[in-house]
Amino acid sequence: MWKLKVAEGGSPWLRTNNGHVGRQVWEFDPIYESQEHIDEVERAREAFRANRFEMKHSSDLLMRLQFARENPLELELPAIKLKEEEQVTEEAVVTTLRRAVSKYSTLQAHDGHWAGDYGGPMFLMPGLIIALYVTGSLNTVLSPEHQKEMRRYLYNHQNKDGGWGLHIEGHSTMFGSVLTYVTLRLLGEGSNAGDGSMEKARDWILTHGTATAITSWGKMWLSVLGVFDWSGNNPLPPEIWLLPYVLPIHPGRMWCHCRMVYLPMSYIYGKRFVGKITPLVQELRKELFSVPYDQIDWDKARNECAKEDLYYPHPMIQDIMWATLHKFVEPVLLHWPGSKLRNKALDSVIQHIHYEDENTRYICIGPVNKVLNMLCCWIEDPSSEAFKLHIPRIYDYLWIAEDGMKMQGYNGSQLWDTAFTVQAIFATGLIEEYWPTLKKAHDYVKHSQVLEDCPGDLSYWYRHISKGAWPFSTADHGWPISDCTAEGLKAALMLSKVSHDKVGQPIEANRLYDAVNVLLSLMNENGGFATYELTRSYAWMELINPAETFGDIVIDYPYVECTSAAIQALTSFRKLYPGHRRQEIDNCIKKAVNYIESIQLPDGSWYGSWAVCFTYGLWFGVKGLIAAGKTYENSSCIRKACDFLLSKQLPSGGWGESYLSCQDKVYTNLEGDRAHAVNTGWAMLALIDAGQAVRDVNPLHRAAKVLINMQSDDGEFPQQEIMGVFNKNCMISYSEYRNIFPIWALGEYRCCVLNVHN
């Protein structure tokens, strides 16, 4: 059976800066489990499949079953269920918190972080499988058990209509359906396998425009496989990397996730690489189209996109640009002497690919560019050391749960979840009962800070400073992020204020200064904070966004979440280190506050860009303003925010927001007006911070009762609908939120509402 292994290496081709702290990899061990445990896993799998159309998110039961055996817990405290007429008492809250934190502590890995499912997008695994197939590595890298669980996952997330969505809760799209169908075929499924599922999928594809209507990213992957002609792709010329950086359209000015995906894409496009045309590829050429392959109008296909996929339609200027490049520029670059420029561009691009690989220990910034970079290394030299170094890092992205094996949206969310968990436990006022948990978490925070900048001339490689930052996941990943640095710093400062005998020695002051330096360096002129870097270009660059299915991907925009987190971290730091760069910090906080106030929407909300959605944005918006000294009384922004939140409270007392809020940019309740534990937690935290208890405490009492009654018999809160998002339109799993935010909210409720009133 499958076993989660944490902070282990195991391959001579693995590189690490910190002993693999945070690494989480699933391995199959045929003799690991007893028959009783095997039966438990099978029951979990069967239950998921039976209910897959009602609950599309896994509950991470394979991990939970493993930790239940490794860290057994007998909960002696009774589960609390409050009747409608019952009042919330401190005893009920404290009992709920003790049960929750005790259980959640058993899910902590030995290196101090919390592991979990960070899946959700359906387009990640196909790229991996196609890359492994064309390099001849599929059956070497992925065991039969890996492939079996991948097939399970893909079948489990097929929609009733036969297609697959952009993400696990989304409607069927051509992007999701074609790539998933192809992936199943490459994983050994026949064209009529799956009890009719494959035939149903093929029918969906053929009746919705065929594979010619797949999005641009899909066209690229199909071209690599050999089931789509490169002439059916809009150009991705690598020569753009040779342009002067002063130009706003230089890719070095783009959001790092965008440029790090289009960097290897441009290499593959420039090479026009196509894998070996196997009999299976020949079969797919027949299965995915309604006309013979040699009769497809590839020029027309360049701009085709199924309506189900079209979130960001190409503006006319983009179509003109692609047509010009396709018809006039590309023919010149493909033949001498233009080919000399093409070769120069390809040489430059592959240098940047190697730099990214080496400085992330071959993890890469995310799963899309990880697989693309790996493929580029193989195209350059199939026997290269770089390709071999890529292979063991594939497993860092694979996660298994009762729904099967998926490819995650990052190599995990380890630091992010751990920093939040520290703050949540502190909020309960029960830290004396959980020193071992906090000590391990402290160790993880200390071992995850980035201690050095990337080597060389950072401007040449288009990189920001990183010394002192915290990443989203692990130190080996290493990319610095503003809000992760802020949350890591907040957790470190919080832990530095309690007994060192209990939680270990604090992080040295110089390392905290480095973190502050990173934060100060990331503030834009308008006071806002983007994600990884400064905003380097202009919003009009979105006109050339070629990805039809994602919004706001071209530049690194400032966000309320990142800006608020920076304010909170800097104000916390200022209290403990009032003499360090005081004027710079004061000015930064002032400008950041002005930015948050300026982007509040007329209805009082803030749009949350990294989770669902307005409740999340509001929590950060309010929290940032409060941290900077604003109050309900002196801030109209806070008053409007509270009014908005109270207007969305459900009759049950909770809040429940659908992912549709993200894509439609309009607050949308979950179907059936159901409460969600995570949204309820965010709303409570915002209202408590804004002093709601002084004005009218009843909304908080009602919300607290909802959370208390949601707690399961085992002490956890339930896994509900998906809560993460990126680029407006794609959802992603934050599986730890189900426990972190109910604990945090009830903790604040206990200490800031009940205790104050009592």
Side-chain angles (χ1 to χ4, degrees):
M1 291 298 289
W2 292 94
K3 183 177 182 180
L4 178 64
K5 294 191 173 183
V6 171
E8 294 186 18
S11 167
W13 294 103
L14 279 169
R15 295 176 177 177
T16 181
N17 282 344
N18 67 346
H20 298 292
V21 170
R23 187 170 191 245
Q24 46 190 38
V25 172
W26 286 93
E27 291 187 3
F28 186 79
D29 184 348
I31 59 173
Y32 169 62
E33 301 278 14
S34 67
Q35 188 59 48
E36 178 187 355
H37 297 153
I38 292 171
D39 291 344
E40 277 186 302
V41 170
E42 287 305 319
R43 285 194 295 271
R45 288 168 171 163
E46 290 169 10
F48 182 88
R49 180 149 185 83
N51 298 295
R52 66 190 185 280
F53 296 124
E54 286 70 45
M55 174 47 67
K56 299 184 178 183
H57 202 298
S58 86
S59 295
D60 253 346
L61 293 182
L62 271 67
M63 181 192 74
R64 280 170 164 75
L65 290 170
Q66 177 178 327
F67 278 112
R69 295 189 294 276
E70 295 176 359
N71 308 314
L73 173 70
E74 290 290 334
L75 275 177
E76 298 177 356
L77 297 168
I80 304 294
K81 298 297 176 187
L82 298 174
K83 297 178 181 177
E84 188 174 346
E85 66 277 7
E86 284 187 272
Q87 290 188 340
V88 181
T89 64
E90 183 170 8
E91 181 184 5
V93 175
V94 170
T95 298
T96 301
L97 286 170
R98 285 190 171 122
R99 296 177 77 249
V101 181
S102 297
K103 176 62 177 180
Y104 196 45
S105 294
T106 70
L107 299 177
Q108 186 181 27
H110 64 79
D111 67 355
H113 85 274
W114 277 264
D117 180 348
Y118 193 61
M122 293 299 297
F123 61 90
L124 302 177
M125 191 190 298
L128 171 65
I129 301 305
I130 291 171
L132 292 177
Y133 183 83
V134 300
T135 59
S137 309
L138 181 60
N139 294 324
T140 304
V141 174
L142 299 178
S143 69
E145 292 297 331
H146 281 89
Q147 296 185 41
K148 175 183 176 183
E149 291 304 320
M150 288 175 168
R151 291 191 295 269
R152 184 195 308 276
Y153 175 75
L154 297 176
Y155 278 133
N156 271 333
H157 292 287
Q158 187 176 23
N159 290 329
K160 287 182 179 179
D161 63 8
W164 285 270
L166 181 66
H167 55 88
I168 57 174
E169 294 191 12
H171 66 268
S172 294
T173 63
M174 192 64 72
F175 188 30
S177 300
V178 171
L179 288 187
T180 304
Y181 178 88
V182 167
T183 301
L184 282 166
R185 293 288 275 121
L186 297 181
L187 289 172
E189 292 296 277
S191 59
N192 295 307
D195 295 325
S197 294
M198 293 294 282
E199 186 176 4
K200 196 173 182 182
R202 195 163 58 252
D203 287 345
W204 191 96
I205 292 166
L206 295 177
T207 58
H208 287 78
T210 80
T212 58
I214 197 171
T215 59
S216 57
W217 285 22
K219 288 175 167 64
M220 187 277 305
W221 277 121
L222 294 181
S223 299
V224 166
L225 182 61
V227 296
F228 207 95
D229 196 90
W230 275 112
S231 63
N233 288 254
N234 279 319
L236 292 172
E239 289 77 15
I240 192 173
W241 289 87
L242 300 179
L243 294 174
Y245 184 77
V246 69
L247 295 177
I249 63 168
H250 190 282
R253 295 182 175 275
M254 295 177 180
W255 182 41
C256 54
H257 274 285
C258 179
R259 73 170 182 267
M260 289 313 213
V261 165
Y262 284 105
L263 175 74
M265 278 188 180
S266 73
Y267 184 84
I268 296 166
Y269 174 82
K271 289 278 190 178
R272 298 295 199 279
F273 171 78
V274 179
K276 182 181 178 181
I277 306 303
T278 64
L280 178 53
V281 170
Q282 295 280 16
E283 290 174 23
L284 286 168
R285 287 180 172 185
K286 297 175 182 177
E287 294 166 18
L288 296 174
F289 305 100
S290 57
V291 298
Y293 189 77
D294 59 4
Q295 295 180 22
I296 295 171
D297 185 342
W298 294 114
D299 189 53
K300 180 183 176 184
R302 281 191 305 108
N303 292 311
E304 279 189 40
C305 183
K307 68 179 189 300
E308 291 80 7
D309 295 63
L310 201 56
Y311 185 72
Y312 182 80
H314 289 173
M316 184 180 295
I317 189 173
Q318 199 176 132
D319 290 338
I320 293 170
M321 180 179 70
W322 298 138
T324 302
L325 289 170
H326 178 71
K327 295 181 185 300
F328 303 109
V329 179
E330 277 299 309
V332 173
L333 293 170
L334 290 175
H335 300 91
W336 192 90
S339 58
K340 294 178 69 175
L341 183 63
R342 171 59 48 95
N343 291 333
K344 181 180 178 181
L346 291 171
D347 288 343
S348 176
V349 165
I350 199 67
Q351 285 181 36
H352 284 271
I353 288 169
H354 290 319
Y355 186 85
E356 157 72 350
D357 291 345
E358 290 161 9
N359 287 287
T360 58
R361 276 52 60 187
Y362 289 81
I363 297 168
C364 300
I365 196 172
V368 179
N369 87 310
K370 191 270 183 301
V371 173
L372 288 166
N373 282 15
M374 181 178 72
L375 178 58
C376 290
C377 292
W378 188 88
I379 294 170
E380 183 191 30
D381 179 2
S383 59
S384 68
E385 181 179 275
F387 181 70
K388 294 170 185 173
L389 287 162
H390 263 292
I391 295 298
R393 286 301 189 181
I394 289 171
Y395 307 110
D396 294 48
Y397 282 99
L398 302 180
W399 186 265
I400 190 168
E402 66 272 21
D403 59 341
M405 179 167 278
K406 62 212 71 177
M407 193 170 191
Q408 301 187 105
Y410 224 72
N411 65 322
S413 52
Q414 296 91 317
L415 182 280
W416 184 250
D417 291 331
T418 303
F420 272 160
T421 299
V422 167
Q423 295 173 73
I425 294 175
F426 266 81
T428 67
L430 302 172
I431 59 173
E432 294 84 358
E433 300 178 28
Y434 300 101
W435 292 130
T437 300
L438 290 169
K439 184 180 187 306
K440 287 198 294 183
H442 194 194
D443 288 341
Y444 189 79
V445 171
K446 287 190 283 189
H447 288 132
S448 298
Q449 189 179 18
V450 181
L451 301 181
E452 297 293 340
D453 289 326
C454 289
D457 180 356
L458 296 183
S459 64
Y460 178 81
W461 302 107
Y462 316 116
R463 291 293 296 265
H464 197 80
I465 62 170
S466 50
K467 182 181 180 181
W470 270 276
F472 184 67
S473 55
T474 64
D476 279 341
H477 181 285
W479 272 85
I481 309 178
S482 61
D483 53 355
C484 299
T485 300
E487 299 301 341
L489 180 57
K490 285 164 62 182
L493 292 169
M494 203 171 271
L495 288 158
S496 74
K497 294 188 286 187
V498 297
S499 170
H500 303 167
D501 292 337
K502 301 295 186 182
V503 299
Q505 290 299 310
I507 292 178
E508 298 90 341
N510 284 339
R511 285 173 58 180
L512 301 179
Y513 297 163
D514 289 339
V516 169
N517 183 57
V518 170
L519 287 176
L520 292 174
S521 76
L522 284 168
M523 185 181 69
N524 287 291
E525 283 296 318
N526 63 4
F529 284 73
T531 56
Y532 293 79
E533 298 158 341
L534 291 165
T535 303
R536 297 175 175 178
S537 197
Y538 306 95
W540 58 257
M541 282 276 287
E542 213 62 43
L543 287 170
I544 62 169
N545 171 8
E548 303 88 344
T549 198
F550 304 116
D552 290 356
I553 70 165
V554 179
I555 66 170
D556 201 349
Y557 295 89
Y559 298 99
V560 64
E561 299 99 316
C562 299
T563 308
S564 169
I567 292 172
Q568 294 172 55
L570 290 172
T571 55
S572 297
F573 176 84
R574 186 172 61 182
K575 291 174 185 175
L576 292 181
Y577 298 89
H580 184 77
R581 301 176 71 171
R582 180 60 182 259
Q583 186 173 352
E584 291 175 77
I585 290 173
D586 289 349
N587 290 340
C588 180
I589 292 169
K590 182 179 178 180
K591 289 184 70 174
V593 166
N594 290 338
Y595 176 76
I596 288 179
E597 291 175 334
S598 73
I599 63 168
Q600 187 179 33
L601 297 172
D603 62 8
S605 68
W606 283 276
Y607 179 87
S609 296
W610 302 104
V612 181
C613 168
F614 292 97
T615 43
Y616 188 65
L618 277 153
W619 173 52
F620 273 101
V622 169
K623 188 91 172 171
L625 296 180
I626 295 290
K630 300 286 186 177
T631 66
Y632 183 90
E633 288 71 28
N634 68 22
S635 171
S636 61
C637 289
I638 293 176
R639 292 194 294 274
K640 288 194 296 181
C642 291
D643 289 344
F644 180 91
L645 277 173
L646 292 171
S647 74
K648 303 302 180 186
Q649 189 170 25
L650 298 167
S652 66
W655 284 260
E657 196 174 357
S658 166
Y659 78 84
L660 295 173
S661 291
C662 303
Q663 66 180 44
D664 299 338
K665 303 178 187 177
V666 177
Y667 190 101
T668 307
N669 285 337
L670 288 171
E671 189 176 350
D673 290 345
R674 289 173 289 106
H676 196 296
V678 178
N679 297 126
T680 301
W682 290 330
M684 281 183 70
L685 287 166
L687 289 170
I688 290 169
D689 265 358
Q692 181 64 36
V694 175
R695 298 181 296 278
D696 178 8
V697 75
N698 284 325
L700 298 174
H701 289 328
R702 293 170 59 221
K705 184 181 289 188
V706 168
L707 290 183
I708 290 169
N709 286 340
M710 275 188 173
Q711 190 176 40
S712 305
D713 291 341
D714 63 3
E716 290 200 79
F717 293 87
Q719 178 61 59
Q720 297 170 276
E721 286 80 1
I722 202 162
M723 275 289 107
V725 65
F726 59 91
N727 299 129
K728 302 280 192 288
N729 194 40
C730 192
M731 306 305 125
I732 195 164
S733 303
Y734 281 83
S735 301
E736 306 309 318
Y737 282 10
R738 63 187 271 198
N739 288 308
I740 292 171
F741 288 103
I743 289 171
W744 198 336
L746 288 173
E748 293 275 0
Y749 174 78
R750 178 204 175 208
C751 296
C752 302
V753 179
L754 288 183
N755 286 355
V756 171
H757 274 253
N758 291 341

